[in-house]
Amino acid sequence: MIDAPAPAPSPRIRQSKAALVLASVSLVISLVSCGLAGFVASAADIDLLPVQSEPAEASASQVEAVAHVTLPPGTVFLAAAYSNGLETRLSAKFRIPRTGLDAFVAAGKFTAPLTPGLRAITAKHNVGGGNLWDPDTAVSVSGIEEQQPTTDGTYRSVLFNLDAPDAITVYLHASRG
């Protein structure tokens, strides 16, 4: 028995194979391009899917609204930064009269007690960067660090710098999300 020669592939099969090869090459080129773009973006510290706003300066009313506090009369607002997205983050530094401490704590309805010596705020709580955030320089401090959030899910931490005799420098951090 003599084997008959294999029939020549039809033009449709040849076109299908060519299309499959081109699609495979295209897929490989696309994957390499995406990988290269991701590498360049990560090397240049570019966020390809920004879900958090850049920190921006916050007003006293934003501090009160986000952190659920009331700034007492005589408050000197020093700095505040706010960022929103998947998380809401706020840091604020202000000075209140020493006589306003009890009213500030009571109006804030904190879920944790004011604790002498507690350093509830550190440099990592600084949302906006900058050189005005210096909680580590305080010698005599008290703090509040909530373990239970407010009704809208906001966690708050506060450091009171008690070094000055007539005023208290307050470092406040609030986050939600």
Side-chain angles (χ1 to χ4, degrees):
M1 205 188 271
I2 299 177
D3 286 334
S10 71
R12 269 187 99 114
I13 293 175
R14 277 185 275 161
Q15 288 175 345
S16 296
K17 285 183 178 180
L20 181 61
V21 168
L22 285 174
S24 298
V25 168
S26 176
L27 176 64
V28 168
I29 290 172
S30 295
L31 289 173
V32 169
S33 297
C34 287
L36 184 60
F39 175 75
V40 169
S42 66
D45 201 24
I46 298 171
D47 188 2
L48 296 176
L49 298 170
V51 292
Q52 192 73 26
S53 70
E54 290 295 320
E57 189 173 330
S59 67
S61 61
Q62 282 178 308
V63 169
E64 289 182 324
V66 172
H68 308 289
V69 296
T70 302
L71 301 177
T75 297
V76 177
F77 203 66
L78 301 172
Y82 174 77
S83 176
N84 200 10
L86 289 179
E87 283 185 296
T88 298
R89 298 178 302 145
L90 174 123
S91 62
K93 178 181 176 183
F94 49 92
R95 196 170 295 123
I96 62 174
R98 192 169 278 273
T99 56
L101 176 61
D102 291 336
F104 176 79
V105 172
K109 298 179 182 164
F110 292 94
T111 60
L114 178 64
T115 306
L118 177 63
R119 289 191 174 272
I121 298 285
T122 64
K124 74 176 177 118
H125 291 97
N126 188 0
V127 171
N131 59 4
L132 290 178
W133 194 259
D134 55 357
D136 299 331
T137 62
V139 177
S140 178
V141 299
S142 282
I144 299 173
E145 187 165 23
E146 291 185 313
Q147 302 301 318
Q148 296 295 319
T150 61
T151 56
D152 73 346
T154 301
Y155 286 89
R156 303 173 295 176
S157 298
V158 188
L159 176 104
F160 299 99
N161 177 341
L162 306 171
D163 293 343
D166 57 344
I168 297 172
T169 301
V170 180
Y171 297 86
L172 170 69
H173 182 264
S175 64
R176 177 177 57 239

